[in-house]
Amino acid sequence: MGRSPCCEKAHTNKGAWTKEEDERLIAYIRAHGEGCWRSLPKAAGLLRCGKSCRLRWINYLRPDLKRGNFTKDEDELIIKLHSLLGNKWSLIAGRLPGRTDNEIKNYWNTHIRRKLLNRGIDPVTHRSINEPAQEVASSTISFTDTNMKVKVEEGKDLETEERCPDLNLELRISPPYQLNPEEIGAKSLCFACSLGLQNSKDCSCKIGCNFGTSTENSSSVGYDFLGMKNGILDYRSLEMK
DNA sequence: AATGCAGGCAACCGCCCGAAC
DNA sequence: TGTTCGGGCGGTTGCCTGCAT
């Protein structure tokens, strides 16, 4: 029993959006908000598929989109996130405010892929192309158990640690986890901290890194990218709800 | 100036998942 | 429990533009 098509394709426009269509969509969403995409085209007077409207809004018309060239910091962040998450563009986009999954995906395929290849790095495995195939250090996160186990394999060494069972990977686009301004004073956060990556090795301001670690020596605690503390995922930095 | 080619990117397609019934 | 529907995601396509010849 197949699914019915999401819209009646015979009477829908396809291809590039016109300025008038954009204006209609923007005006409708401003007036009514994002609601049922299926019924939106008819209500807005658009001869478009609901999916097409959603995509156009999310990837191009949304007012909070950044547009423009990616910064070097964003470049590096995308590479690191990709090495951890793979082609999970929506997850990666969730860590880059104002960027969409489609934009990042395109940017990866056109710019970063080539950049990594030029550096002699396999864009899929993030390892040197010349590196012989072998069992190398890898991180495996298992979500199958009630108690989440994080296994960190370092060559032949294997550590398994019980971690918090209720890892929340439900994501949404929103400002990243921020520190209370009163707690950080008037100082500004570095790029990593502004993205919610406090305690990251990439932190250059050290403001976020001093937060929440008063009982432990922050300089000796090896926080990794994405809040991997000594190889253990700090799920708070991933939580976006 | 005309043509061919490659790169960039917007948009589409098909599949998956969760909610509702 | 099975079916339908809406929304979301990743992969792919195809148009547009700029550059080289």
Side-chain angles (χ1 to χ4, degrees):
Chain A
M1 207 171 286
R3 288 183 47 183
S4 61
C6 72
C7 55
E8 203 182 333
K9 302 205 174 186
H11 302 293
T12 55
N13 291 341
K14 287 177 76 173
W17 279 64
T18 65
K19 203 176 172 213
E20 191 191 343
E21 286 177 313
D22 281 348
E23 284 166 0
R24 273 179 186 268
L25 182 57
I26 292 168
Y28 183 86
I29 291 177
R30 273 190 187 149
H32 303 93
E34 292 178 44
C36 173
W37 292 109
R38 176 176 277 235
S39 59
L40 184 147
K42 196 178 177 185
L46 287 163
L47 293 173
R48 287 278 179 176
C49 167
K51 273 189 170 186
S52 180
C53 293
R54 175 184 158 272
L55 228 60
R56 182 66 178 169
W57 173 254
I58 288 175
N59 289 329
Y60 202 82
L61 299 175
R62 244 173 45 202
D64 58 327
L65 291 180
K66 203 183 266 182
R67 317 292 311 163
N69 294 338
F70 282 74
T71 65
K72 203 181 165 200
D73 280 338
E74 285 176 313
D75 260 29
E76 296 303 319
L77 182 57
I78 291 168
I79 291 167
K80 287 176 179 176
L81 283 166
H82 187 272
S83 72
L84 284 165
L85 302 169
N87 293 357
K88 301 292 176 190
W89 305 116
S90 59
L91 292 181
I92 295 171
R95 305 304 306 181
L96 285 140
R99 301 294 188 187
T100 69
D101 53 354
N102 203 43
E103 193 179 9
I104 293 169
K105 179 174 58 182
N106 283 333
Y107 188 66
W108 176 270
N109 288 328
T110 53
H111 293 87
I112 300 181
R113 248 180 70 90
R114 197 174 311 136
K115 191 166 135 184
L116 291 179
L117 286 170
N118 287 341
R119 286 185 197 170
I121 298 169
D122 186 328
V124 177
T125 62
H126 292 264
R127 301 187 201 295
S128 171
I129 289 169
N130 301 323
E131 195 175 303
Q134 59 179 342
E135 288 292 322
V136 291
S138 65
S139 297
T140 305
I141 302 174
S142 167
F143 298 102
T144 53
D145 295 338
T146 309
N147 290 326
M148 188 186 94
K149 291 180 180 176
V150 178
K151 296 179 181 177
V152 180
E153 295 177 47
E154 299 283 350
K156 290 182 180 177
D157 297 326
L158 178 68
E159 300 170 37
T160 302
E161 296 197 37
E162 300 281 336
R163 298 300 298 166
C164 178
D166 56 347
L167 174 64
N168 182 359
L169 283 174
E170 202 174 352
L171 301 170
R172 69 177 180 183
I173 296 173
S174 65
Y177 171 74
Q178 294 273 343
L179 298 170
N180 183 339
E182 291 174 9
E183 289 166 327
I184 61 173
K187 292 179 184 177
S188 60
L189 297 174
C190 68
F191 181 74
C193 287
S194 70
L195 290 173
L197 300 178
Q198 287 83 24
N199 301 317
S200 160
K201 281 192 300 194
D202 302 302
C203 172
S204 58
C205 70
K206 306 299 176 196
I207 296 170
C209 300
N210 294 331
F211 176 68
T213 57
S214 56
T215 57
E216 42 190 12
N217 183 351
S218 62
S219 64
S220 65
V221 175
Y223 276 96
D224 196 354
F225 176 69
L226 270 184
M228 296 283 275
K229 184 182 173 184
N230 292 333
I232 300 163
L233 185 67
D234 177 357
Y235 60 89
R236 189 184 61 177
S237 70
L238 277 175
E239 186 184 6
M240 296 189 197
K241 198 149 203 172

